[in-house]
Amino acid sequence: MKNIVVLVSGGGTNLQALIDAQKRGELRGGKISCVISSRPDAYALVRARENDIPTRVIPRKEYHDNASYSKALHEALYQEYADLIVLAGFMTILDKSIINAYRNRIINVHPSLIPSFCGDGFYGLHVHEKALEKGVKLTGATVHFVNEICDGGPIILQKAVEVKNGDTPEILQKRVMEQAEWKILPEAVSLFCQDRIKVTNGIAYITE
Ligand code: GAR
């Protein structure tokens, strides 16, 4: 059984999708063993506690730079025997030491079809604001491995979602979450835990 450590900063609806999938027996080969939050007030912590999942808080505010924050995080991941790290609305960029130590073992969910609307500054609601500004008719979500390039790692799964007339960023965000993120994140986690994702030359392949 692989230990899944979920990193969060906010509401935690993607964490909830993982918890629900686990309850339905759909995270085959894995178990959410710990939730780590960068913010003490993240509602995601409540969701974890309500489901008897151990939690840790490593407040980003208490560290002056990314390197010292990553060091503390790295230590915690080691202590938790993390096999897979899931970034589920985690709003801090990881530094090289963690990315190297957990190469192709860190999964992120991003609320657009990468390579559109991604990279520095594209997070949360901003992503949907930009998609609406551009007038795209299709957007969606991507689950990918994390590498040194922001939102640039091997793509595992993607799902398209329609943009509709009159959408606000909030309405579009909700549709993307419901129709894409909450489905493909648990699916990718389950595939990983069954050793069914192989990365060759920077491309992720799903195996039978
Ligand atoms: C989600 O839409 C997730 O894709 C996004 O933040 C939201 C977190 O919601 N992540 C990013 O933008 C990362 N670049 P949640 O806390 O309810 O899961």
Side-chain angles (χ1 to χ4, degrees):
M1 204 53 125
K2 288 187 170 46
N3 288 326
I4 304 164
V5 175
V6 185
L7 308 190
V8 297
S9 303
T13 63
N14 279 288
L15 168 66
Q16 189 66 54
L18 290 169
I19 293 171
D20 294 345
Q22 174 163 287
K23 283 183 180 164
R24 294 192 301 265
E26 288 172 11
L27 294 188
R28 289 169 58 197
K31 178 176 181 285
I32 306 167
S33 54
C34 182
V35 169
I36 302 178
S37 176
S38 62
R39 295 176 55 129
D41 58 348
Y43 187 71
L45 287 167
V46 176
R47 297 179 191 272
R49 288 180 194 129
E50 277 174 354
N51 287 279
D52 299 319
I53 297 167
T55 59
R56 285 188 182 220
V57 178
I58 309 178
R60 178 63 185 86
K61 273 191 181 160
E62 288 180 12
Y63 298 81
H64 23 258
D65 55 21
N66 237 353
S68 58
Y69 186 73
S70 289
K71 195 162 177 279
L73 191 57
H74 201 159
E75 179 103 6
L77 293 166
Y78 180 77
Q79 287 166 358
E80 295 296 337
Y81 300 101
D83 295 307
L84 170 66
I85 300 161
V86 179
L87 310 186
F90 187 65
M91 296 304 173
T92 297
I93 303 280
L94 300 179
D95 85 348
K96 271 190 196 144
S97 68
I98 297 185
I99 292 169
N100 274 329
Y102 292 93
R103 174 81 48 194
N104 294 334
R105 291 197 291 147
I106 309 173
I107 284 178
N108 181 45
V109 59
H110 182 79
S112 76
L113 294 174
I114 290 175
S116 288
F117 310 113
C118 65
D120 271 354
F122 285 87
Y123 60 91
L125 212 52
H126 299 305
V127 179
H128 305 291
E129 283 165 8
K130 297 285 177 198
L132 290 174
E133 266 169 42
K134 185 68 193 170
V136 293
K137 305 301 177 228
L138 273 182
T139 183
T142 302
V143 177
H144 65 92
F145 284 122
V146 172
N147 69 7
E148 290 77 3
I149 303 158
C150 183
D151 297 326
I155 292 170
I156 303 167
L157 294 174
Q158 292 188 299
K159 193 162 190 294
V161 173
E162 211 183 321
V163 180
K164 297 187 179 173
N165 282 343
D167 272 354
T168 62
E170 290 80 6
I171 290 171
L172 185 56
Q173 179 182 52
K174 186 160 178 279
R175 189 178 311 119
V176 168
M177 283 176 156
E178 284 172 357
Q179 295 185 7
E181 296 186 49
W182 301 343
K183 293 188 160 95
I184 62 174
L185 181 62
E187 194 182 337
V189 166
S190 184
L191 287 168
F192 178 93
C193 291
Q194 297 169 69
D195 292 319
R196 288 182 53 200
I197 311 173
K198 300 279 172 269
V199 178
T200 309
N201 297 328
I203 307 286
Y205 297 92
I206 312 291
T207 61
E208 283 309 313

